[in-house]
Amino acid sequence: ETPPGVDYPRDNVVSGYRVEAKWPQGKSAYPWKAVPGIAIDEEGLIWTVNRGEMPVQVYTADGKLVKQWGRGYFVSPHQIRFGREGHVWIADSHAHVIYKFTRGGDKLLTIGIPNEPGDDNKHLKMPTDMVEAPSGEVFISDGYRNNRVVVCNSKGEFIRTWGELG
């Protein structure tokens, strides 16, 4: 579904996929809703972020649940990534923030002001993804509304931005 106010075409670039009916194994007490993000760590564990009651769920490659956390943390998580020191980054598009967590789910940093959209050097507006550079800088796709890239330092302080729709 195209978000309101977006007037450019949406193209499905997925050429195909295969459903693995037996993955994950067993029934979770917290079933998935939309799963917008998946990341695989250095141990081969599969980290998923979903929009259900327990958003962060971690599995072995064969689908066994290892751990889960994040209940009540997010409005609409959008992507999950790992930082250079092993921490977890999660974009929450509808809360207008990027979070940095320990692998156990302790919040270390918030970039943006929760539930306060904007386009200045303190706010994000529907961020979709992030990556941490070797320097510690965080590059954020402040994507659905601001259509820009925001760069922050390792403390989450604004450095620069560029980009616009088109």
Side-chain angles (χ1 to χ4, degrees):
E1 180 179 314
T2 301
V6 175
D7 58 0
Y8 52 88
R10 286 286 186 84
D11 294 322
N12 184 355
V13 295
V14 177
S15 62
Y17 60 90
R18 181 177 54 106
V19 174
E20 185 61 50
K22 295 183 181 179
W23 200 98
Q25 296 180 17
K27 299 277 184 189
S28 171
Y30 303 99
W32 289 344
K33 291 204 176 170
V35 182
I38 297 174
I40 300 173
D41 71 14
E42 69 282 348
E43 296 175 12
L45 294 175
I46 300 165
W47 290 65
T48 65
V49 64
N50 77 86
R51 295 184 181 135
E53 189 176 350
M54 189 64 70
V56 179
Q57 296 182 15
V58 183
Y59 296 88
T60 61
D62 61 355
K64 293 180 185 153
L65 182 65
V66 175
K67 66 178 153 185
Q68 54 190 351
W69 51 265
R71 186 178 191 176
Y73 286 15
F74 307 102
V75 177
S76 186
H78 196 276
Q79 188 56 273
I80 184 169
R81 303 276 182 208
F82 297 107
R84 60 192 172 98
E85 296 175 357
H87 41 266
V88 179
W89 290 96
I90 297 178
D92 189 336
S93 60
H94 286 62
H96 311 288
V97 293
I98 301 293
Y99 294 117
K100 177 181 176 181
F101 294 95
T102 65
R103 294 222 180 175
D106 297 319
K107 194 182 303 177
L108 300 171
L109 179 68
T110 302
I111 300 176
I113 299 174
N115 304 309
E116 214 177 277
D119 62 0
D120 57 25
N121 65 359
K122 296 194 183 314
H123 293 85
L124 302 172
K125 193 170 186 182
M126 297 190 81
T128 57
D129 206 347
M130 68 267 113
V131 64
E132 184 178 4
S135 65
E137 290 179 325
V138 182
F139 290 76
I140 300 166
S141 63
D142 193 16
Y144 279 135
R145 293 292 189 242
N146 284 337
N147 303 292
R148 65 182 181 169
V149 174
V150 174
V151 184
C152 296
N153 66 19
S154 61
K155 296 177 184 175
E157 299 163 336
F158 176 86
I159 297 174
R160 67 186 174 281
T161 184
W162 73 85
E164 60 188 28
L165 184 61

